[in-house]
């Protein structure tokens, strides 16, 4: 099988913990080169995964003729320059979210990718979770009727850490909202099949001393009328949050637990109803929960295989880079709502 040869810019962090191990399992991908901020770290990662090249300069990795596709997993403030260089070189791009610190720079990256004619995707890997994919299919087939409302929770414990770039607004662009809530917002849009158009939010720093938000509570309305709620926090212990996903429709509901996260896992309960007449007493008879049959795997492997397939076979990109722009527009509306205490439209 032909394989896409990959390079990774920002090979520490999430790339080292999750994405590179997933890439190594992909049948249609091969890790060729890694880059980190100093050669000692880059070489350590190269040796760990047995790839051919290590760099401390992203341009040298991009210029390597063997590299065909590049995954950018560096901190947010360091996305734009290498992304533009990747496009200029005509290499394919998978970029972690957020694409950039500003909407303007995000659009600049997308324009460069379009002009270069390259494939470009955003790193929303949770779309490739087995249950998330199955839930989307079940909803699309009318399994719970017309979707009325939905909720998603994705949170962690992230205390004050000296030097942590995610806790510095000028480096990250925001806190729990742009780091955690974006995944929950994207998953709800993905499984329901509609995008947010109006947003109301409370965003605050309640517990810690850094200058990004540690609490984000977001209410938004989709184009199809579904109302969704997302809560994401840096100040709720990991053990205390089950990362619930709930979807309610005219014919039933889906209650999921731990399907949002970096592991392909969780459980799903489906409650169905055939409807019926009005019950003034609101008798709530228990019904037996059903579930969905899935095969767990590695969502990062599926993410890399999907994008590699798009490159090799000119297949549609499952998470095009424009999704990253849209979700950033939703989070911007949430920040405006929290500041102005208003309901805000998602702006193009």
């Amino acid at each position: 099988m032909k394989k896409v040869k990959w390079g990774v810019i920002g090979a520490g962090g999430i790339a080292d913990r999750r994405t590179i191990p997933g890439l190594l399992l992909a049948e249609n991908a091969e890790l060729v080169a890694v880059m980190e901020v100093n050669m000692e770290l880059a070489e350590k990662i190269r040796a760990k995964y047995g790839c051919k090249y290590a760099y401390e300069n992203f341009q040298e990795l991009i210029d390597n003729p063997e590299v065909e596709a590049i995954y950018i997993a560096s901190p947010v403030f360091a996305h734009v320059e290498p992304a533009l260089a990747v496009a200029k070189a005509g290499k394919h791009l998978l970029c972690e979210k957020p694409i950039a610190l500003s909407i303007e720079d995000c659009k600049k990256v997308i324009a460069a990718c379009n002009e270069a004619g390259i494939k470009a995707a955003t790193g929303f890997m949770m779309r490739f979770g087995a249950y998330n994919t199955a839930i989307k299919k079940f909803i699309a087939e009318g399994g719970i009727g017309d979707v009325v409302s939905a909720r998603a929770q994705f949170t962690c414990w992230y205390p004050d850490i000296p030097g942590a770039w995610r806790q510095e607004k000028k480096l990250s662009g925001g806190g729990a909202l742009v780091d955690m809530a974006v995944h929950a917002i994207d998953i709800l849009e993905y499984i329901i099949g509609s995008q947010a158009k109006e947003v109301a939010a409370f965003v605050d720093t309640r517990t810690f001393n850094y200058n990004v938000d540690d609490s984000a509570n977001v209410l938004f309305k989709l184009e199809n009328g579904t109302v969704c709620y997302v809560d994401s926090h840096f100040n709720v212990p990991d053990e205390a949050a089950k990362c619930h996903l709930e979807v309610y429709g005219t014919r039933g509901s889906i209650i999921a637990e731990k399907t949002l996260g970096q592991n392909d896992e969780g459980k799903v309960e489906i409650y169905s109803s055939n409807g019926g007449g009005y019950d003034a007493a609101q008798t709530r008879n228990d019904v037996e929960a059903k579930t969905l049959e899935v095969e767990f795997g590695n969502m990062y492997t599926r993410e890399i295989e999907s994008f590699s397939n798009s490159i090799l076979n000119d297949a549609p990109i499952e998470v095009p880079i424009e999704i990253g722009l849209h979700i950033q527009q939703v989070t911007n509306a949430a920040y405006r709502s929290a500041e102005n205490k208003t309901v805000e439209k998602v702006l193009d």
Side-chain angles (χ1 to χ4, degrees):
M1 174 182 288
K2 183 171 174 54
K3 296 185 177 183
V4 175
K5 295 183 178 182
W6 282 82
V8 178
I9 294 174
I14 190 64
D16 184 25
R17 291 192 302 273
R18 297 291 186 180
T19 315
I20 293 176
L23 189 157
L24 296 180
L25 297 174
E27 294 184 354
N28 58 359
E30 176 186 353
L31 180 66
V32 172
V34 294
M35 173 266 161
E36 256 302 340
V37 292
N38 63 70
M39 198 61 194
E40 182 181 358
L41 179 56
E43 175 58 30
K44 181 180 179 180
I45 296 171
R46 184 210 66 76
K48 178 179 180 179
Y49 296 111
C51 66
K52 293 174 67 174
Y53 305 101
Y55 301 99
E56 61 181 354
N57 179 289
F58 69 76
Q59 190 63 56
E60 292 180 358
L61 182 147
I62 293 170
D63 290 340
N64 184 326
E66 292 187 44
V67 175
E68 299 170 308
I70 294 170
Y71 169 55
I72 296 179
S74 51
V76 180
F77 70 90
H79 281 183
V80 173
E81 188 179 0
L84 293 174
V86 169
K88 184 177 180 180
K91 308 290 176 83
H92 303 291
L93 173 66
L94 171 61
C95 187
E96 274 300 336
K97 52 75 193 168
I99 304 299
L101 290 172
S102 70
I103 295 294
E104 180 182 6
D105 279 346
C106 189
K107 289 182 176 180
K108 186 183 300 184
V109 169
I110 292 173
C113 292
N114 290 337
E115 183 177 348
I118 65 170
K119 304 286 187 186
T122 306
F124 283 116
M125 81 293 177
M126 292 185 200
R127 290 189 176 209
F128 298 93
Y131 266 137
N132 295 330
T133 302
I135 289 170
K136 176 179 175 62
K137 183 174 184 292
F138 188 75
I139 290 173
E141 292 173 347
I144 58 171
D146 296 329
V147 179
V148 175
S149 67
R151 179 218 174 188
Q153 176 196 63
F154 188 42
T155 188
C156 74
W157 183 255
Y158 194 43
D160 293 287
I161 301 173
W165 64 267
R166 285 184 176 85
Q167 297 177 1
E168 179 60 53
K169 189 173 182 179
K170 67 180 181 181
L171 304 180
S172 63
L177 178 57
V178 301
D179 193 63
M180 307 288 287
V182 291
H183 282 294
I185 293 167
D186 179 67
I187 280 296
L188 289 178
E189 290 193 346
Y190 168 69
I191 64 174
I192 296 170
S194 186
Q195 291 189 328
K197 65 175 184 177
E198 293 180 283
V199 181
F202 292 95
V203 183
D204 203 356
T205 308
R206 300 181 54 193
T207 306
F208 301 118
N209 297 308
Y210 39 68
N211 65 7
V212 298
D213 47 284
D214 61 19
S215 304
N217 302 78
V218 185
L219 186 71
F220 55 101
K221 189 174 186 178
L222 304 183
E223 292 173 346
N224 69 359
T226 302
V227 176
C228 300
Y229 171 69
V230 161
D231 61 286
S232 288
H233 299 270
F234 280 165
N235 54 359
V236 174
D238 297 79
E239 297 82 5
K242 299 300 182 182
C243 295
H244 286 118
L245 174 68
E246 304 171 12
V247 189
Y248 297 92
T250 56
R251 294 292 182 182
S253 64
I254 301 169
I255 312 296
E257 184 178 295
K258 295 181 71 175
T259 62
L260 298 180
Q262 296 179 8
N263 293 307
D264 195 15
E265 60 182 356
K267 67 178 183 179
V268 170
E269 294 180 336
I270 298 172
Y271 299 92
S272 299
S273 170
N274 293 322
Y278 170 62
D279 180 5
Q282 295 186 355
T283 304
R284 301 181 186 274
N285 296 318
D286 289 337
V287 296
E288 184 178 353
K290 300 176 183 178
T291 191
L292 297 170
E293 295 297 324
V294 299
E295 183 176 344
F296 292 127
N298 187 311
M299 67 182 76
Y300 296 89
T301 300
R302 296 191 191 107
E303 177 184 41
I304 294 296
E305 286 184 337
S306 172
F307 190 53
S308 296
N309 180 58
S310 296
I311 294 169
L312 293 170
N313 299 307
D314 198 28
I317 300 169
E318 289 198 49
V319 195
I321 196 168
E322 288 81 5
I323 295 294
L325 169 61
H326 166 72
I327 296 298
Q328 197 159 343
Q329 289 165 333
V330 176
T331 59
N332 276 19
Y335 279 125
R336 292 198 309 272
S337 171
E339 181 178 357
N340 300 330
K341 303 187 186 309
T342 54
V343 176
E344 294 284 334
K345 292 187 180 299
V346 177
L347 304 177
D348 292 333

